[in-house]
Amino acid sequence: MTNLTYLIAVFLPIITGAVFLVKRRVPRMVRETVLLVSALITSGLVVAMLVFRPEPLTLLTLNESLSLTFCIDNLSLVFAAILAVLWPIADLYSFEYMSHEHGENRFFGFFTMTEGVVLGIAFAANAFTLYLCYELMTLCTLPLVMHEMDGQARYAGKKYLMFSMGGAAFAFISLMFLSTYGTLDFTLGGSLNPQLIAGVENTLRMVFVLGFFGYGVKAAVFPFFGWLPAAGVAPTPVSALLHAVAVVNSGVFAVLRLTYYSFGVDILKGSFAQWIMMGVCSFTIVFGSAYAWRLQHFKRRLALSTVSNLSYILLGASVMTTAGLTGALLHMVAHSVFKIMCFFVAGAVLCQTHHKSEYVFQLSGIGKKMPLTFAAFTVASLGLIGIPPFAGFFSKWAIAASAVELGETLGYVGAFALILSAFLTGLYQLEVIIKAFFPGEEENTSSTEHVTEVGWRMKTAFVLLIVLSVVISLFVSPLTDTLSAAAQGLL
């Protein structure tokens, strides 16, 4: 397979989205057909690339250190596969959701461009390419966050941009030090030069911590999580994009690159850098779950749940072992599927109730009116809680087991944080299910009395996601073996 397929996979969505930004008046049927065909072609190309592994492609060389290069390695394989599977489903769902909204061409223009930019992150062969695509992703998603252009949306956009710019500054510092004391190319085990780093190990560890927090902004680590619930004012497909597929996974992916492919675990393991990373992740896990439990706003509750679950992945990464990275990758896959389904349900509720049911206490009896929608939410909830045989149980088990294997106090703290978070997740997810299907006699169900089930496009998206959830749960053992091989660089 020619390496020019990188160009097609990355730039086809960007060009398609740009066309809709320029040509505003496009019939809905034409737009949806073009977008779905573009997404399917892109996903098909990505799958083919993951199988046949084209040679790296260098688009631009600035100097010996800086080049814009794409390639596929073991880590990019996982992220790109998630994007290839979930993006067409997100498009299908968005067609129905946005038919009730305004500015559809503008929305789908930036939404589609984001796909190409995030694929650029997945295929980045070095830290410079990743950083460049990472910042382009912020520019593409900012108009999506501000889509409504009212006071709340503008505030959310400013907050998102401010957090992202601060994170970019920290990440840039790590980029400079990596260039000085090694190379920017991603290499499993790290790209630092052992001869150059002698005597400055602690300085580099501190730089790693800055890079962790810099890229961790998009992964919503404490205390840099505030932009994520604020961005919930955006249309729900954007929330799903932010919280499940693209933006937050890009933050997690960048931290994995920084840890295992740039600095390397040899210089980090057993140092204050590892303990800071592990401690922050453990705290964020419990904090996010506890905060989600106390919130009644449906989408914000799910956003705080995302804050917690992203740190599950980063906790696995902070263990800095093959087992920890395997558990992190498994939870990255499972959480992407389960959480996008949850946000799709929240969006379906808003559509069918005309934005009148934004809070959990307003969902009484709605499950009987929207049985398929809340069946999907039930499946997703069981997966997020970690009830066997769903994949969420196995990913949490793998992360907790790897943390305990460290034999250190913070490892035990991390495992306890996972257990406590699973309990809290059960409380706030099951509350929604009970409200929806088993309202009390004294509860007011008038707000959901005339609600009907969603249309065929949303139904199709839910069915596909339910099937996908079942498949990854039934085949979790071979999936884990594949991810373990990826963690070891053996694929």
Side-chain angles (χ1 to χ4, degrees), residues 251-314:
V252 167
F253 181 77
V255 172
L256 296 181
R257 284 294 198 195
L258 192 74
T259 306
Y260 290 87
Y261 285 77
S262 292
F263 283 88
V265 298
D266 289 341
I267 191 176
L268 301 173
K269 196 170 184 180
S271 71
F272 68 87
Q274 182 184 24
W275 306 136
I276 289 174
M277 183 178 179
M278 187 172 287
V280 168
C281 292
S282 298
F283 180 81
T284 306
I285 286 170
V286 177
F287 171 82
S289 295
Y291 200 165
W293 178 38
R294 64 179 291 270
L295 287 176
Q296 280 291 307
H297 193 280
F298 196 10
K299 283 179 67 176
R300 288 176 189 164
R301 174 178 286 193
L302 295 176
L304 268 298
S305 171
T306 299
V307 170
S308 177
N309 275 272
L310 292 173
S311 281
Y312 282 38
I313 303 169
L314 295 180

Side-chain angles (χ1 to χ4, degrees), residues 20 22-27 31 105:
F20 286 110
V22 175
K23 190 173 178 60
R24 295 297 181 91
R25 295 181 180 274
V26 180
R31 181 182 60 242
N105 275 4

Side-chain angles (χ1 to χ4, degrees), residues 59-118:
L59 294 179
L60 179 66
T61 301
L62 300 178
N63 56 37
E64 294 181 357
S65 301
L66 305 178
S67 69
L68 184 61
T69 304
F70 297 120
C71 77
I72 293 175
D73 63 9
N74 292 269
L75 198 61
S76 59
L77 185 150
V78 179
F79 190 20
I82 293 172
L83 295 171
V85 172
L86 293 182
W87 210 287
I89 300 175
D91 268 342
L92 187 62
Y93 174 92
S94 301
F95 296 155
E96 184 169 334
Y97 184 94
M98 291 305 297
S99 65
H100 304 279
E101 304 291 329
H102 64 89
E104 293 177 69
N105 275 4
R106 172 165 52 88
F107 171 88
F108 282 111
F110 286 110
F111 190 85
T112 305
M113 290 175 70
T114 302
E115 179 185 12
V117 173
V118 177

Side-chain angles (χ1 to χ4, degrees), residues 113-453:
M113 290 175 70
T114 302
E115 179 185 12
V117 173
V118 177
L119 281 172
I121 294 173
F123 292 144
N126 55 57
F128 173 73
T129 305
L130 185 147
Y131 185 84
L132 179 62
C133 293
Y134 199 80
E135 295 310 299
L136 288 175
M137 179 183 65
T138 299
L139 296 179
C140 287
T141 52
L142 179 61
L144 295 173
V145 173
M146 299 177 65
H147 180 77
E148 296 297 333
M149 294 305 292
D150 56 12
Q152 273 190 314
R154 291 175 185 272
Y155 172 77
K158 290 177 183 178
K159 196 169 187 177
Y160 176 56
L161 184 61
M162 184 171 60
F163 273 81
S164 296
M165 290 175 64
F170 284 168
F172 187 76
I173 294 172
S174 69
L175 197 72
M176 297 298 296
F177 273 81
L178 286 170
S179 177
T180 302
Y181 291 96
T183 71
L184 297 180
D185 294 334
F186 290 135
T187 305
L188 184 59
S191 60
L192 294 173
N193 188 328
Q195 297 177 339
L196 296 178
I197 66 174
V200 294
E201 290 89 349
N202 281 337
T203 300
L204 290 172
R205 289 168 185 142
M206 182 55 67
V207 170
F208 167 80
V209 172
L210 293 178
F212 162 71
F213 281 112
Y215 288 120
V217 167
K218 289 287 199 301
V221 297
F222 186 89
F224 305 113
F225 68 94
W227 67 270
L228 196 58
V233 300
T236 301
V238 179
S239 300
L241 173 78
L242 291 173
H243 299 141
V245 183
V247 176
V248 293
N249 271 350
S250 293
V252 167
F253 181 77
V255 172
L256 296 181
R257 284 294 198 195
L258 192 74
T259 306
Y260 290 87
Y261 285 77
S262 292
F263 283 88
V265 298
D266 289 341
I267 191 176
L268 301 173
K269 196 170 184 180
S271 71
F272 68 87
Q274 182 184 24
W275 306 136
I276 289 174
M277 183 178 179
M278 187 172 287
V280 168
C281 292
S282 298
F283 180 81
T284 306
I285 286 170
V286 177
F287 171 82
S289 295
Y291 200 165
W293 178 38
R294 64 179 291 270
L295 287 176
Q296 280 291 307
H297 193 280
F298 196 10
K299 283 179 67 176
R300 288 176 189 164
R301 174 178 286 193
L302 295 176
L304 268 298
S305 171
T306 299
V307 170
S308 177
N309 275 272
L310 292 173
S311 281
Y312 282 38
I313 303 169
L314 295 180
L315 177 64
S318 72
V319 176
M320 300 186 184
T321 63
T322 299
L325 181 55
T326 301
L329 293 176
L330 181 58
H331 197 70
M332 186 177 178
V333 173
H335 176 256
S336 296
V337 177
F338 296 138
K339 187 52 63 69
I340 197 172
M341 196 158 23
C342 285
F343 273 102
F344 280 0
V345 170
V349 169
L350 292 177
C351 281
Q352 300 307 103
T353 63
H354 307 288
H355 292 257
K356 293 179 180 178
S357 295
E358 296 186 11
Y359 294 86
V360 174
F361 60 78
Q362 295 174 320
L363 302 179
S364 297
I366 198 170
K368 299 176 182 179
K369 304 291 185 178
M370 305 174 68
L372 176 61
T373 298
F374 277 87
F377 187 83
T378 301
V379 170
S381 296
L382 296 178
L384 286 175
I385 296 167
I387 295 176
F390 288 96
F393 168 79
F394 297 97
S395 62
K396 292 181 181 183
W397 180 276
I399 294 170
S402 66
V404 169
E405 284 176 5
L406 276 182
E408 301 285 348
T409 301
L410 269 177
Y412 298 126
V413 170
F416 176 75
L418 288 175
I419 295 171
L420 180 55
S421 175
F423 173 74
L424 292 171
T425 303
L427 292 179
Y428 64 72
Q429 290 293 114
L430 292 177
E431 180 188 4
V432 176
I433 297 171
I434 293 170
K435 283 276 185 186
F437 286 111
F438 310 105
E441 293 182 2
E442 73 285 356
E443 293 188 54
N444 183 9
T445 59
S446 59
S447 60
T448 61
E449 185 176 351
H450 301 292
V451 173
T452 58
E453 187 59 277

